[in-house]
Amino acid sequence: MHISEGVLSGSILITGWAGTCAGLAVGLKKTDMNKITRTALLSSGFFLASLVNIKVGPSSTHLSFLAPMGLILGWGVFPAMFVALLLQALLFHFGGLLVLGANNFIMGVSSLSVYLLFGKLIRNSDSKILVMALAFISGALSIILAAFLAGVFLTLSDSNFLTAAKLVVIAHLPLALIEGLVTAFMIGWLKKSAPEFLL
Amino acid sequence: MLTKILFTLVVLVSAASESFAHGTGFRTSELRAISLEFFYSTGEKMSYREAKVFSPKDSKFAIQSGRTDEAGRFAFTPDSAGEWRVIVRDEEGHQCEAVINISEEWLTNRENKENDKVITAQSDSPEGIELIIRALLGVSLIFNLAAIIRIRRAAHAH
């Protein structure tokens, strides 16, 4: 999911940073500092999730928890992800410091989108099956959105938009299914055991 | 007349030899090759990925390009001393850059196996116990940051 250093063009890197700075500004304003421990917990989960490798056929991928992050933190996903991505770049060499803005923007927007689309529906729904179904869609959609945005960023840096975007989206379809299942069970459990966690 | 015929013959022979110049051939190169293996942090090989080689003389235009093989291998033959870069990338935005310092001695002394130390296996990402330590450090930093924010807020409230 991380775009490596040196792949994106200068103008796309600046665009990514501009989007991330805007997201961080709103995110920090909207984050309830009394619930900062919750933000730290999810940021840690996101930071560690990249280390969990899952074999999908001949290749392997790793979890990202984009949808649970969005559904629990809302706009607070931007600062939570920023810290995690910064530490991933410094400690694991995933992504990089220059490309951090673009990576944070791609993942933050995807995570926030599913919160804005399904957050309220999940919070207000009483049906366990509906909650799990919506959470599954959120999990899968967040990955597809992130892959699509990554494809757009890559193509705007290079060329051949449709081919690159299509390839990236197709490559992430197995992860989308896995994230959908993980999100469905995670949000289903939270809705039952700790509904106050969902924004 | 004889001069004209001779001249025509010379022109024809040169034209014929020019056309034969497009033949092909091969021989074993005297240069030593460097073979690298590229992989993801998950351990998966970077198979059939786009690879580019940049020489010390020109860091902008690739001197060689191609694809890695099934095992993620890519080989090239440096012909001058300096910093050579091999960049392998996929369509998903992952990129690995290998920087190899070639010395004059490495280029000229083919027998000395010690020179092979120029090519050191380097993993871009930490592994094993180092990875665990870094993961724990990262989690610790995140919670310490949260604790600092909480303490500052509490102090501000008083």
Side-chain angles (χ1 to χ4, degrees):
Chain A
M1 191 59 76
H2 302 75
I3 295 178
S4 301
E5 203 77 282
V7 174
L8 298 179
S9 67
S11 55
I12 297 298
L13 288 175
I14 292 167
T15 308
W17 272 109
T20 289
C21 288
L24 280 173
V26 180
L28 285 170
K29 204 174 175 184
K30 292 206 171 191
T31 299
D32 183 355
M33 291 300 170
N34 293 319
K35 293 173 181 170
I36 194 72
T37 311
R38 178 188 301 180
T39 308
L41 187 71
L42 281 151
S43 186
S44 299
F46 179 79
F47 169 73
L48 293 174
S50 60
L51 299 178
V52 182
N53 294 324
I54 299 166
K55 269 273 183 205
V56 185
S59 64
S60 58
T61 184
H62 62 76
L63 292 174
S64 60
F65 295 142
L66 293 183
M69 293 273 290
L71 294 170
I72 295 169
L73 296 176
W75 277 92
V77 79
F78 270 95
M81 274 183 185
F82 182 82
V83 173
L85 285 169
L86 176 67
L87 289 172
Q88 282 178 351
L90 292 173
L91 298 172
F92 302 152
H93 305 156
F94 292 169
L97 293 178
L98 285 175
V99 78
L100 175 62
N103 279 329
N104 198 359
F105 179 77
I106 289 166
M107 297 189 214
V109 166
S110 311
S111 200
L112 184 69
S113 299
V114 294
Y115 161 70
L116 295 173
L117 283 169
F118 302 108
K120 203 173 177 182
L121 281 170
I122 290 173
R123 208 166 48 247
N124 295 335
S125 175
D126 291 325
S127 162
K128 191 185 171 186
I129 294 170
L130 183 63
V131 166
M132 286 185 76
L134 290 171
F136 176 84
I137 296 167
S138 303
L141 186 65
S142 64
I143 298 298
I144 292 167
L145 269 175
F148 177 75
L149 281 174
V152 171
F153 271 45
L154 288 168
T155 306
L156 291 176
S157 288
D158 207 325
S159 59
N160 207 349
F161 164 69
L162 283 173
T163 312
K166 219 188 285 176
L167 276 171
V168 176
V169 171
I170 290 168
H172 282 86
L173 282 179
L175 178 63
L177 287 174
I178 294 165
E179 286 267 342
L181 287 171
V182 170
T183 310
F185 283 104
M186 196 183 278
I187 299 298
W189 180 80
L190 274 178
K191 179 78 181 169
K192 188 183 164 191
S193 310
E196 69 278 5
F197 260 73
L198 298 170
L199 270 183
Chain B
M1 184 63 187
L2 188 66
T3 318
K4 277 184 181 175
I5 291 168
L6 274 172
F7 178 75
T8 312
L9 277 172
V10 167
V11 168
L12 281 171
V13 167
S14 352
S17 63
E18 280 294 314
S19 66
F20 285 132
H22 289 289
T24 56
F26 70 91
R27 59 175 171 262
T28 309
S29 172
E30 290 293 316
L31 295 169
R32 296 168 76 178
I34 286 183
S35 179
L36 302 167
E37 261 182 37
F38 293 88
F39 51 87
Y40 293 100
S41 59
T42 57
E44 192 186 341
K45 310 229 182 265
M46 293 185 83
S47 311
Y48 307 119
R49 302 303 184 198
E50 182 189 290
K52 283 184 177 172
V53 181
F54 295 88
S55 75
K57 291 169 195 162
D58 194 341
S59 59
K60 285 186 178 170
F61 293 97
I63 195 170
Q64 182 189 341
S65 62
R67 281 189 182 271
T68 57
D69 68 6
E70 191 183 8
R73 285 184 294 253
F74 188 80
F76 72 105
T77 43
D79 57 3
S80 61
E83 192 178 271
W84 288 74
R85 291 183 306 124
V86 184
I87 297 177
V88 172
R89 63 187 285 188
D90 65 15
E91 294 85 357
E92 294 171 44
H94 299 113
Q95 177 172 290
C96 183
E97 181 177 330
V99 180
I100 295 151
N101 284 304
I102 300 294
S103 64
E104 284 291 350
E105 195 196 350
W106 190 90
L107 284 168
T108 51
N109 192 352
R110 295 188 65 187
E111 301 303 317
N112 190 354
K113 293 288 175 193
E114 284 293 302
N115 287 338
D116 285 341
K117 281 180 183 171
V118 73
I119 315 153
T120 49
Q122 281 183 350
S123 172
D124 197 32
S125 304
E127 291 169 343
I129 193 77
E130 194 191 342
L131 181 68
I132 295 167
I133 292 168
R134 284 175 184 233
L136 290 171
L137 174 67
V139 173
S140 161
L141 284 169
I142 292 170
F143 277 99
N144 274 299
L145 181 66
I148 290 166
I149 293 170
R150 279 186 76 98
I151 291 164
R152 281 178 67 95
R153 274 187 64 81
H156 191 70
H158 288 295

